[in-house]
Amino acid sequence: MLAKVSNTPTSQSNLCASTSLSPKSRQDKTLKLNFYLLGAANVANPSALSLETLLKWQKEGLVNYLGESKDVRPFIAKSSCCVLPSFYKEGLPRVLIESLSMQKPIITTDVSGCKDTIKPTLKLDDKPFAIGENGILTKPKDAKSLYLGLKAFIKLTSLQRKQMGESGRELATKVFEVSFVIDAYKKALRKFCLKSGKKRLAFISNTSFGMYNFRKEVLKSFIDEGHEVLVFAPKDATTEGLEALGIRCIEIKVNSKGLNPLSDLKLLLSLCKLLKDHKPDFVFNYTIKPVIYASLASRLLKVPHISMVTGLGYVFVKGGFKKKILKNLVCLMYKVALKHTKQVWFLNDDDRLEFLKHRLIDEARAFKLDGEGVDTKHFYPSSMPEGELNFLLIARMLWDKGVGEYIEAIRLLKADKEVASLASFERNPPLI
């Protein structure tokens, strides 16, 4: 069982003792503090950070930008805590459950998806942060809240940080293990696909990257059972990896951010043709446009299908009049497209309740997965670094991911005299 912890920032449990104790009683020696960023810069997104900005922060000694990597495990292994201060409408961030699986505490924000990775369920109310069994929850879009959460983590003893990591690993194995997700797929297929024996399964997404990085184990499990697996997605650097698993990759063109109705009509027509030509026995759809247009195409061709809402995204973030019109239009499209979907899967309960609130689907077809799973054998535990605290933010370099708040929180930490008495700020040397 996981240890019970109060949701206040001054919990007196055996895991998280009060952060107001004197520095001398809490630390045996001065720690070295290092801060890192890992993920793609200059991505095609309105919220993208430029490489120039990242290198400017690096030159100031605030952070070390590590670029991007196909394998995040060596970086997580060398970290002390993984930070994701996102205010984006996440589904359930994969990097957080990967970090938990590798026995690392996390610091994240009180937004859909992110908050689901901190246990027990915490409520901030008027508190700046809350300490959980496996990490710390802070307010979104609030650099001061993040700074206080980071400071609280720094003031923990090494034993408390170790216990946080162990609780995170336990959570990953008991809740987020990918085998549970694979079981959900197979159960749904048995229930809704009338064809017995080997099947032809189509998986439709806006990126091959997402299929390979988030659903590779699911796809492989179907391949191993002898089913034929097709992936309809734009091709990218991960397509070769999918094909190496024995998957047939069929390219489609998806403009994920575009609002051109002619482009979307072309997508719908191309999906209809592909489904007619390849005749899958069952279809799984992911992300906004495939969920809408592949669900419509499946409905027109009477192909049984399930759609996964991987996060509400930009459309459901509060905005002005134009945003409201766009949200209403997208809601209408969801409602029409999902009318005959066997089930709609969500990665957190907030998203599921949002769809029910807007009456986009009926409750009987709304199903929540605990994320898309993590291979806990692949993301195996690693020990905590000694004598230093390495904070690591892994994400696409977007303002929406809270990168700006992370940098501002580091500035606040550097100006804090109490933190200076506990730790020294290094020049963020290479992590691996």
Side-chain angles (χ1 to χ4, degrees), residues 304-322:
H305 56 284
I306 284 174
S307 291
M308 180 186 287
V309 177
T310 56
L312 297 186
Y314 168 81
V315 172
F316 283 81
V317 176
K318 288 183 179 179
F321 181 69
K322 288 183 179 179

Side-chain angles (χ1 to χ4, degrees), residues 175-287:
V175 177
F176 298 124
E177 163 61 44
V178 72
S179 60
F180 305 147
V181 178
I182 292 172
D183 289 344
Y185 272 86
K186 292 181 177 179
K187 181 180 178 181
L189 198 62
R190 288 194 299 269
K191 182 176 181 179
F192 297 118
C193 187
L194 299 178
K195 182 182 176 181
S196 59
K198 308 305 180 187
K199 302 172 182 65
R200 178 176 292 175
L201 308 175
F203 297 79
I204 305 177
S205 177
N206 66 346
T207 66
S208 294
F209 175 89
M211 294 307 304
Y212 184 81
N213 284 280
F214 304 148
R215 300 162 202 124
K216 176 174 60 178
E217 292 86 359
V218 170
L219 300 176
K220 189 176 183 301
S221 72
F222 284 122
I223 291 283
D224 291 344
E225 288 189 348
H227 301 296
E228 183 182 358
V229 174
L230 314 176
V231 167
F232 298 172
K235 291 189 175 183
D236 58 33
T238 62
T239 301
E240 188 176 328
L242 290 170
E243 291 174 337
L245 296 174
I247 296 166
R248 289 178 60 196
C249 296
I250 294 98
E251 186 165 25
I252 59 173
K253 296 185 184 298
V254 183
N255 185 354
S256 299
K257 304 294 180 184
L259 300 175
N260 187 330
L262 290 178
S263 175
D264 288 355
L265 178 60
K266 286 181 181 178
L267 174 60
L268 174 61
L269 294 175
S270 69
L271 289 170
C272 286
K273 185 177 187 304
L274 287 171
L275 293 178
K276 187 176 180 180
D277 290 346
H278 293 280
K279 296 180 173 58
D281 299 303
F282 204 87
V283 176
F284 293 92
N285 306 313
Y286 308 86
T287 67

